[in-house]
Amino acid sequence: MFMSAFRWNASTCSTGLDIMEAVLQILEFAQEEEEEEVLLGRPRVERVFEVRVDALRKYSDSKFIRRFRVSKDTFRWLVDFLAPDLMPLKESNHALNPEQQVLVAMRFYARASFQMDIGDMCGVSQATVCRVVHRVSSAICARRQQFIHFPTTPEERRTIAEGFYEIAQFPGVVGAIDGSHVAIVNPGGERAAHFINRKGWYSINCQGVVDHQLLFTNIVARWYGSAHDSRIFQESQLFRKFQAGEYRGILLGDPAYTCSTFMLTPVRNPTTPEENRYNNAQRRTRGVVERAFGIWKKRFPCVSKGMHLRCSLDHNMAIIVATTCLHNLATRMNDPVPEPEADLPRREIGEPERPINPAEVNFRGNLFRQRFIMQHFNQ
């Protein structure tokens, strides 16, 4: 209002003194306007802070798991673990403490609803939900080595290989690998079309490796939806370490991957009893990765097909990695897998297998697989 009563023309201020005098006049008008508002009985509107619910006290164990996807014990452990990274940046009576920040993030992972709805439920603004989810996800990703670890020592490889062998007597396996799509909204930009997968929707194609306990030991969540599973693996750090001999053992993959000396895939068109026994054992053993993806998406609906992550690409990738870390934590803590809420859409989780291009066939890998079959499945 006061700017309408005071018109300042920069062309009339030829010196620094003139500019200073103009600034002082503006401040004087502002003070007069504020005094006038008070005299007219219209005081400045103060910000209203909503009451924040103490979810740990309000909800029973089962209701807490259904709403926040982990048990109360797991939640308390996570808060203590992340507390150093989530302390308020400034002292304020209304700043969110680490427990409240983790609560907001877990509710987002459980719903992936509009941030305004999450804010209304948790007693914060939409902007606060956005900042908190990014902050908590980044804090978890920064410590992902505490949650996701690929077996590197002989003892670790032996333990996992024995666990896989008990499934279908397939020897030497250190992980099962597969890709899974996480739906996102149109990311925009020149490369937006790359994120349209073969099903026709925008997604991030995530590569995951799991062990016999359904724990993720490796996760890659930075590839667009149209990327082939085989390409993602061949350009990953995991592939380079296997090639260099830093990682040892066998990975089991579906026909989307190229067979090699460390990646065994099913035999296409098996013709012998040995090949059939091999395919059956390979399929049963590899099934753990599909179950792990299914439990991950059931526990955190924000990454399921029925929902779409609506954050920026970088934030979406952080959310994907963070939820895989939380999946491992909940699995180690023996948390039950919560049932989806009634109003959440239910979609199929499995993805049809995509055969590799014949030009990508690795003849050395096929020869290794034939020798492996004759050695271990010739019964």
Side-chain angles (χ1 to χ4, degrees):
M1 182 183 296
F2 71 87
M3 289 301 295
S4 63
F6 178 78
R7 302 295 182 182
W8 172 53
N9 187 352
S11 62
T12 63
C13 299
S14 57
T15 66
L17 293 177
D18 293 336
I19 296 175
M20 181 62 69
E21 183 179 354
V23 172
L24 291 176
Q25 291 183 34
I26 292 175
L27 295 176
E28 183 178 351
F29 270 98
Q31 184 176 2
E32 291 177 358
E33 286 288 330
E34 185 174 353
E35 292 175 354
E36 182 181 354
E37 291 287 334
V38 175
L39 291 174
L40 294 176
R42 295 179 297 193
R44 180 182 301 174
V45 178
E46 295 185 2
R47 184 178 178 185
V48 178
F49 294 93
E50 299 185 24
V51 178
R52 293 163 184 163
V53 178
D54 187 349
L56 288 172
R57 292 185 179 182
K58 178 179 179 179
Y59 300 113
S60 64
D61 292 341
S62 59
K63 290 182 178 179
F64 186 90
I65 291 176
R66 185 173 181 181
R67 285 166 173 79
F68 301 101
R69 321 313 285 175
V70 296
S71 67
K72 290 184 178 180
D73 290 339
T74 302
F75 177 81
R76 292 189 183 98
W77 185 94
L78 184 64
V79 171
D80 293 339
F81 182 72
L82 298 177
D85 299 327
L86 299 180
M87 294 304 295
L89 299 178
K90 60 181 180 179
E91 295 183 1
S92 171
N93 293 333
H94 299 285
L96 293 177
N97 59 38
E99 178 180 307
Q100 293 169 330
Q101 293 179 58
V102 175
L103 205 67
V104 170
M106 296 303 295
R107 186 57 183 166
F108 177 85
Y109 300 150
R111 296 283 302 183
S113 180
F114 288 102
Q115 295 175 352
M116 184 177 296
D117 295 338
I118 303 296
D120 292 342
M121 186 269 182
C122 298
V124 296
S125 66
Q126 177 273 328
T128 299
V129 173
C130 181
R131 289 193 298 269
V132 167
V133 171
H134 177 53
R135 192 179 186 193
V136 173
S137 300
S138 298
I140 296 174
C141 291
R143 301 190 177 200
R144 61 185 177 275
Q145 298 297 334
Q146 303 291 326
F147 302 95
I148 300 176
H149 173 70
F150 195 84
T152 55
T153 67
E155 293 76 13
E156 291 174 335
R157 291 195 297 268
R158 186 182 309 111
T159 300
I160 293 178
E162 290 174 355
F164 273 116
Y165 188 81
E166 292 178 358
I167 298 175
Q169 288 71 56
F170 202 108
V173 179
V174 295
I177 187 172
D178 202 358
S180 184
H181 291 265
V182 173
I184 61 174
V185 297
N186 185 348
E190 298 179 354
R191 302 184 62 190
H194 290 79
F195 288 88
I196 302 177
N197 58 33
R198 66 185 183 279
K199 293 290 186 177
W201 39 278
Y202 294 95
S203 69
I204 295 175
N205 192 359
C206 307
Q207 172 185 282
V209 180
V210 303
D211 64 12
H212 62 292
Q213 296 178 317
L214 308 183
L215 297 173
F216 285 95
T217 58
N218 183 268
I219 187 73
V220 177
R222 59 183 179 83
W223 281 86
Y224 39 81
S226 62
H228 196 280
D229 292 350
S230 182
R231 180 187 176 188
I232 296 175
F233 176 63
Q234 291 176 359
E235 296 194 18
S236 67
Q237 186 178 16
L238 182 69
F239 177 83
R240 290 191 291 270
K241 289 192 174 184
F242 266 103
Q243 269 197 327
E246 297 181 39
Y247 288 170
R248 299 180 181 276
I250 294 173
L251 296 175
L252 297 184
D254 62 23
Y257 296 93
T258 303
C259 185
S260 67
T261 57
F262 49 81
M263 169 73 77
L264 290 181
T265 60
V267 176
R268 302 180 67 182
N269 304 318
T271 57
T272 65
E274 292 82 5
E275 291 179 344
N276 283 309
R277 283 193 293 267
Y278 164 86
N279 272 7
N280 181 58
Q282 200 268 3
R283 175 183 54 81
R284 292 173 55 195
T285 307
R286 178 172 51 85
V288 297
V289 67
E290 297 173 357
R291 294 199 297 274
F293 274 127
I295 293 174
W296 169 54
K297 292 188 175 185
K298 187 176 182 180
R299 188 183 298 278
F300 300 108
C302 69
V303 294
S304 69
K305 288 184 184 178
M307 310 298 290
H308 289 76
L309 288 177
R310 302 175 181 275
C311 304
S312 66
L313 270 178
D314 290 340
H315 289 189
N316 287 339
M317 294 173 185
I319 289 170
I320 292 170
V321 175
T323 51
T324 57
C325 293
L326 294 175
H327 162 85
N328 282 6
L329 174 62
T331 302
R332 292 191 177 103
M333 298 288 282
N334 295 318
D335 286 356
V337 180
E339 291 296 325
E341 298 186 26
D343 58 340
L344 289 178
R346 298 169 183 261
R347 298 288 184 88
E348 293 294 329
I349 294 174
E351 290 287 341
E353 296 177 348
R354 294 177 297 168
I356 61 173
N357 189 317
E360 298 176 358
V361 172
N362 186 325
F363 292 100
R364 181 183 176 188
N366 288 350
L367 180 60
F368 174 82
R369 182 176 59 188
Q370 286 299 321
R371 292 176 178 174
F372 186 89
I373 293 174
M374 296 305 298
Q375 181 179 356
H376 297 286
F377 294 92
N378 184 17
Q379 299 177 358

